[in-house]
Amino acid sequence: MIRASIMGATGYAGVELVRLLTAHPEVRLSRLSSVSFEGKALSEVYPALRGICDTVLVGEEDVTEETDVLFCSLPAGHAEKMARRCVDKGVLFIDLGADFRLDDEADYIEWYGGAYQDKELHAVQVYGLPELFGERIPGAKIIGNPGCYPTSVALGLAPALREGLAGTQGIVIDSKSGVTGAGRGLTQTTHFPDCNEAFSPYKIACHRHTPEIEQSLGRLSGKEVRVTFVPHLLPLNRGIVSTIYAPWAGAPLEEIHARYWAFYQGKTFVRVLPLGEAANLKNVRCSNYCDISLHLDRRAGKLIIVSAIDNMVKGAAGQAIQNMNLALGLPETAGLMMVPPAI
Ligand SMILES: NC(=O)c1ccc[n+]([C@@H]2O[C@H](COP(=O)([O-])OP(=O)(O)OC[C@H]3O[C@@H](n4cnc5c(N)ncnc54)[C@H](OP(=O)(O)O)[C@@H]3O)[C@@H](O)[C@H]2O)c1
């Protein structure tokens, strides 16, 4: 059995990792760390886990003991030190935060406000979006797990940009996320009376995921891409829908649909919907699926792509486990075939 440990196990993405890894056939949970709840059982913090994961939370110093893979689920800026320790010990390191996602350090400095300290680590980092950039994941030592919005956008646009079905200039991305995307820390905007029965954009054209989205779209198209990205906060717990408007290159919608279908053939977690249907976050909740639907605004010359994921699963913990499976030579889908609740 592979021994998996989690830093930041009390956070939303961390506890989702616990939920999924508990049912993984090849994994045994080892160390779970917390700063705020060290010494308490995880099930005291999340009573849903009573009798399922009563593991006592340890401090960060102990989290790499008896460990083959460490999932680091902390806010950005905290991952390097632990990544170094893991690399030196031969432990696979998977960061759910943003510290190993961006190739260009200048982007990290601009959007996250800190420089890379241990540059050797960044020379071997691998961006873990298996359906699109999976070739370097097997055997990787450090995996930067993609952000939730960038996952939904890159999967939605990949066939269009790889195959020239849409232009790269003037792409507009309108994304909506449930409140768990903001993590468990309470802020004014995520306070129940403020977000319930409310709906608004935030960080308009200045969200930190913008350079990561542009990095993926640039790799897919082979061109420099600039996008307009506007996220919104939905008064729901989970889920992301990204509605993407891209310049239509002229192919009939039926052909675009056939090319999308062929592109994702054999990719278990991406479902290209029949024409006429629209992707809905309800249909991917609690699962590792990404649903994609395709639409054409012939009058305005826009290909409209709708992409839906669960931000906590395909957007975080599920994709991190998919990356672990590939890095360690397990079946890609191991522990990830959760069926979304139909109602
Ligand atoms: N939520 C999502 O949908 C999602 C999706 C994709 C990626 N991510 C990324 O995954 C990482 C974790 O996200 P999350 O949503 O789980 O966040 P979260 O709910 O705020 O959890 C982060 C955890 O990190 C721990 N922590 C340790 N040192 C910390 C520090 N200096 N400041 C704040 N917290 C610290 C905290 O637990 P203790 O105090 O118990 O140690 C906290 O519970 C982030 O980098 C986030 O960007 C999240």
Side-chain angles (χ1 to χ4, degrees):
M1 293 290 262
I2 287 156
R3 300 164 301 173
S5 295
I6 303 169
M7 267 188 104
T10 61
Y12 283 169
V15 78
E16 189 71 353
L17 277 164
V18 171
R19 182 175 78 87
L20 302 183
L21 289 171
T22 302
H24 194 295
E26 308 279 349
V27 171
R28 172 172 74 74
L29 277 174
S30 185
R31 305 296 171 104
L32 306 178
S33 80
S34 165
V35 175
S36 316
F37 299 96
E38 185 178 348
K40 288 196 165 191
L42 184 62
S43 54
E44 288 179 71
V45 186
Y46 289 103
L49 298 174
R50 184 168 291 126
I52 298 164
C53 184
D54 299 311
T55 305
V56 173
L57 296 154
V58 297
E60 294 184 351
E61 286 309 306
D62 295 323
V63 75
T64 55
E65 298 301 315
E66 296 178 5
T67 295
D68 303 307
V69 51
L70 180 71
F71 294 94
C72 181
S73 192
L74 304 180
H78 297 277
E80 272 190 351
K81 199 173 96 196
M82 200 55 69
R84 166 54 64 194
R85 201 198 292 177
C86 285
V87 166
D88 291 347
K89 288 180 79 166
V91 171
L92 169 62
F93 185 83
I94 301 180
D95 183 25
L96 279 82
D99 294 351
F100 294 99
R101 293 178 191 158
L102 295 172
D103 291 340
D104 188 346
E105 184 182 2
D107 282 337
Y108 189 80
I109 293 169
E110 181 183 345
W111 293 85
Y112 291 90
Y116 291 161
Q117 302 300 320
D118 191 337
K119 298 199 192 313
E120 268 180 31
L121 298 175
H122 297 282
V124 298
Q125 72 188 32
V126 171
Y127 187 68
L129 217 177
E131 287 82 3
L132 305 183
F133 313 115
E135 62 287 340
R136 289 176 60 219
I137 299 172
K141 307 275 180 265
I142 298 179
I143 297 176
N145 206 57
C148 45
Y149 289 125
T151 296
S152 71
V153 173
L155 290 174
L157 273 167
L161 295 191
R162 275 257 172 92
E163 304 197 10
L165 300 167
T168 54
Q169 299 307 307
I171 294 172
V172 175
I173 301 156
D174 177 331
S175 293
K176 284 103 180 167
S177 172
V179 185
T180 51
R184 73 192 292 266
L186 191 57
T187 63
Q188 189 64 44
T189 45
T190 57
H191 194 49
F192 183 76
D194 284 288
C195 63
N196 181 47
E197 298 199 40
F199 179 62
S200 175
Y202 67 101
K203 294 187 181 158
I204 298 171
C206 62
H207 191 281
R208 282 173 158 189
H209 285 174
T210 308
E212 188 186 336
I213 291 171
E214 291 176 345
Q215 174 177 284
S216 289
L217 303 190
R219 276 187 203 165
L220 290 163
S221 64
K223 298 179 183 152
E224 193 173 331
V225 179
R226 287 280 171 268
V227 299
T228 300
F229 171 52
V230 181
H232 300 66
L233 192 65
L234 275 178
L236 301 173
N237 279 357
R238 312 172 161 245
I240 286 180
V241 168
S242 291
T243 306
I244 304 164
Y245 304 83
W248 177 43
L253 187 58
E254 291 70 21
E255 183 189 329
I256 296 171
H257 182 260
R259 305 264 285 272
Y260 262 70
W261 200 85
F263 186 94
Y264 283 121
Q265 206 176 14
K267 308 289 184 197
T268 306
F269 297 120
V270 180
R271 304 189 294 194
V272 179
L273 304 186
L275 288 176
E277 291 187 23
N280 186 332
L281 58 78
K282 181 174 186 286
N283 299 331
V284 294
R285 274 182 55 228
C286 305
S287 83
N288 203 47
Y289 290 108
C290 172
D291 279 1
I292 295 171
S293 64
L294 298 164
H295 315 267
L296 192 58
D297 183 346
R298 199 176 284 274
R299 283 185 326 111
K302 292 282 190 295
L303 175 62
I304 302 171
I305 303 149
V306 184
S307 164
I309 61 170
D310 186 316
N311 58 297
M312 306 273 283
V313 188
K314 186 58 178 165
Q319 184 142 265
I321 293 168
Q322 195 178 346
N323 280 316
M324 175 200 73
N325 289 342
L326 290 169
L328 299 180
L330 301 175
E332 180 172 0
T333 59
L336 291 173
M337 293 309 294
M338 299 80 68
V339 178
I343 51 164

